[in-house]
Amino acid sequence: MDPVLPALEVQALFDVLADTVFFIKDREGRYTHCNHTLMRRLGRKRRDDVIGRSATEVFPPPLGATYHSQDRRVLRGETISDQLEVHLYPNRRPGWCLTLKRPLLVHGRISGLIGVSRDLGRPDSRHAAYGQLEKVMAHMQAHLDRNLRIPALAELAGVSVAQLERQFRHVFQVTPQQHLIKLRIELAMRLLHGEDSIASIGQQCGFSDQSAFARQFKATVGMTPREYRNLKSCL
DNA sequence: CACACAAGGTACTCTGGGAT
DNA sequence: ATCCCAGAGTACCTTGTGTG
């Protein structure tokens, strides 16, 4: 029989990873385990301030509701892997993470969920393809407001689409599409501090319309552009 | 009523993982 | 490294909702 690692041991292991959030939740979406990184980012001093609570109780309203509905999907059996997300830290500084959440199965039945969220690290500048990819990055940055296509970016780098994706993952830990979304959402978050209408910001960031912008923004940041604007005006 | 924004439906395109 | 296909994502359009 395979050895079973008790959840408390796993939690202790994840306590030493400062750039990774770790948690286990029960069938109702309440935290049963969490590591120090999650506690710190929630601005809590003690683990007991988190354990037994759901996302809606420990995150600000729009974020908590989004995470809670994500939890419900996972508790129905869905797995969320490598989802690019923005996390707002206690000082409201945004940080980019890749999140994995999956159902926790005990004797074949879903008894909760387990998740990790790791910070996006620095790009690997020693990778052989880094120079070529920098050209792609510069092009993305300069033409964020245009309809950028992955095949065109691959052509720019002089590689196939599949090669571009593989190399991009190696160097930046995300796909070209995810990187493009990251640049666009970062720009949108900056513009939302100004007075431009949400539709106009979506356009400036290269989204085809306000609908596509709001959908992508919510999927990435966890709240709609308007909620984000209201949140930062409360700070 | 006009406007701004959110959300849903559908057709089409793109992505990513498995097979080779 | 390359190919292929299922599923995810996107564009476009429509409808719903809240506010002044």
Side-chain angles (χ1 to χ4, degrees), chain A residues 6-12 15 22-36 38-39 42 46-55 57-58 71 75 102-104 106 111-115:
Chain A
L8 281 173
E9 293 293 326
V10 178
Q11 178 178 268
D15 273 343
F22 163 79
F23 53 84
I24 299 178
K25 296 179 183 178
D26 65 17
R27 226 182 312 211
E28 314 303 324
R30 291 180 299 239
Y31 289 96
T32 60
H33 300 79
C34 73
N35 72 342
H36 277 141
L38 178 57
M39 285 156 52
L42 289 171
R46 300 178 315 129
R47 225 184 288 266
D48 284 349
D49 295 337
V50 179
I51 302 302
R53 298 173 198 266
S54 67
E57 294 169 284
V58 294
D71 289 349
L75 289 167
R102 55 184 296 173
L104 194 58
V106 175
S111 66
L113 67 89
I114 186 164

Side-chain angles (χ1 to χ4, degrees), chain A residues 148-162:
Chain A
L148 292 169
R149 298 277 166 209
I150 303 301
L153 295 174
E155 202 175 323
L156 183 74
V159 296
S160 71
V161 170

Side-chain angles (χ1 to χ4, degrees), chain A residues 118-174:
Chain A
R118 60 192 166 88
D119 293 356
L120 225 48
R122 292 182 163 281
D124 178 8
S125 57
R126 292 165 306 175
H127 194 282
Y130 185 77
Q132 282 302 92
L133 295 182
E134 263 197 321
K135 267 202 291 189
V136 176
M137 294 277 288
H139 185 80
M140 278 184 179
Q141 192 80 56
H143 302 102
L144 269 187
D145 57 336
R146 308 231 188 111
N147 182 16
L148 292 169
R149 298 277 166 209
I150 303 301
L153 295 174
E155 202 175 323
L156 183 74
V159 296
S160 71
V161 170
Q163 279 174 314
L164 178 71
E165 279 169 2
R166 227 186 344 270
Q167 291 172 356
F168 228 89
R169 252 192 198 284
H170 274 128
V171 176
F172 299 104
Q173 303 141 56
V174 291

Side-chain angles (χ1 to χ4, degrees), chain A residues 140 148 150 168 174-182 184:
Chain A
M140 278 184 179
L148 292 169
I150 303 301
F168 228 89
V174 291
T175 63
Q177 189 62 31
Q178 283 178 320
H179 189 75
L180 195 53
I181 289 169
K182 177 172 177 275
R184 284 178 166 158

